[in-house]
Amino acid sequence: MDKLVIFSGNSNKKLAEDICKYLKKPLGKILVSRFSDGEIQVQIEENVRGKDVFIIQSTSHPVNENLMELLIILDALKRASAQRITAVIPYFGYARQDRKDQPRVPITAKLVANLLTVAGASRVLTLDLHAGQVQGFFDIPLDHLYAINVFFNYFSKKNIENLAIVSPDVGGIKMARAYAKKFGADLAIVDKRRNTPTSTEVMHILGDVKDKNVILVDDIISTGSSLVEAAKALRQAGAKKIYAAVTHGVLSCDAVEKLENSFIDLLVITNSIHLSKEKQSKKIEVVSVGKLFAEAIKRIHFEKSISVLFDGIRR
Ligand code: R5P
């Protein structure tokens, strides 16, 4: 493990520390600060020549600051002669703009993939990408982890009976199907229409949720509109307890307030994005993906397969 070094940007130091704890390694010494005019100042404060380096940084809010930090750290590591640099991006922002769904719009997921590669990433390790196909935007190896087992362990302890897994939109069917299979539960789908980037409307529910306890599963909760509207429709259709398991707690705008006034009993998110104090709520629980990332990093370092971490889950 001597050649393995882990650094962190400022986006999610707590998760980086968790990962290091599992790996029994100290965090690498790095200065990530700001010059007086706001430009990002980075200095790697230890020798990384010939090392297998992992830099942990989610490109979450403030997304442009965190992304730029990551790019500049990659550049510094490359110029410091690290042998291999893995960008560990627990939450990969800008992924939702992954195709031209309207005229004259960018494909930011591809742009960010290009930026990471040019900056110096040799490979990428990430979690529950918004769309699996984003993997193909990278011409460097990418390992894609899933939070499903972390959520399964959490909810299994609750011994929820008469359970249905619900996808809050048609795009999430594959993910929900994998969860339904894992939990041995029924599957239902909410047919959602997005009216604006911050508001959604439920058209139908496909599947039976009457008298069932449900877990809504999704990759992202941003404004919370999708989940809150889905929960309302589920309650109208007779669902009892309504839980949500969402990998990335983006929680933008008034998402927490919306959640608190919603039919959702409990939202469980991972720590792929640091949950700030202001966003904490009795209705939000956080499960850690620290061990999952630590295990993946160890396996990548020792050139071992990481598919055992997926437990046969493919989406
Ligand atoms: C959509 O395709 C995603 O899976 C999420 O459902 C969506 O990004 C959530 O956004 P919001 O919380 O703003 O409704």
Side-chain angles (χ1 to χ4, degrees), residues 15 18 26 37 52 79 83 93 95 108 112 117 143 146 161 199 216 232 240 242 287 290 306:
L15 174 60
D18 272 13
D37 60 354
D52 187 16
R79 291 175 197 283
Q83 188 192 70
T108 58
V112 173
T117 312
D143 288 305
Y146 302 96
E161 287 180 349
S199 77
L216 279 155
K232 194 159 107 190
K240 289 161 88 181
I242 303 176
V287 289
I306 65 160

Side-chain angles (χ1 to χ4, degrees), residues 96 130 169 192 194 197 200 218-226:
R96 281 175 287 176
H130 178 61
D169 55 36
K192 157 189 112 176
R194 186 171 284 284
T200 58
D218 210 347
D219 58 327
I220 297 172
I221 172 166
S222 183
T223 64
S225 176
S226 305

Side-chain angles (χ1 to χ4, degrees), residues 10-13 15 56-70 88-96 248-251 271-276 279:
N10 284 318
S11 73
N12 200 341
K13 263 218 168 122
L15 174 60
I56 297 163
Q57 176 86 327
S58 278
T59 49
S60 50
H61 178 78
V63 54
N64 299 328
E65 284 288 315
N66 286 331
L67 173 61
M68 203 62 201
E69 265 190 14
L70 176 58
V88 181
I89 312 175
Y91 169 65
F92 182 77
Y94 275 122
R96 281 175 287 176
H248 309 295
V250 173
L251 298 168
N271 55 352
S272 68
I273 296 175
H274 174 69
L275 184 69
S276 61
K279 289 186 184 169

Side-chain angles (χ1 to χ4, degrees), residues 236-299:
Q236 278 163 6
K240 289 161 88 181
K241 279 257 179 199
I242 303 176
Y243 300 97
V246 181
T247 308
H248 309 295
V250 173
L251 298 168
S252 59
C253 309
D254 58 347
V256 176
E257 199 184 320
K258 259 194 224 148
L259 171 76
E260 282 174 350
N261 298 320
S262 76
F263 290 107
I264 297 170
D265 292 286
L266 183 69
L267 165 70
V268 187
I269 53 176
T270 77
N271 55 352
S272 68
I273 296 175
H274 174 69
L275 184 69
S276 61
K277 268 222 169 98
E278 312 80 71
K279 289 186 184 169
Q280 289 176 9
S281 154
K282 274 191 197 141
K283 280 200 173 184
I284 303 181
E285 285 233 4
V286 182
V287 289
S288 181
V289 285
K291 194 173 169 196
L292 177 67
F293 273 100
E295 194 54 41
I297 287 171
K298 200 156 87 185
R299 287 179 167 271

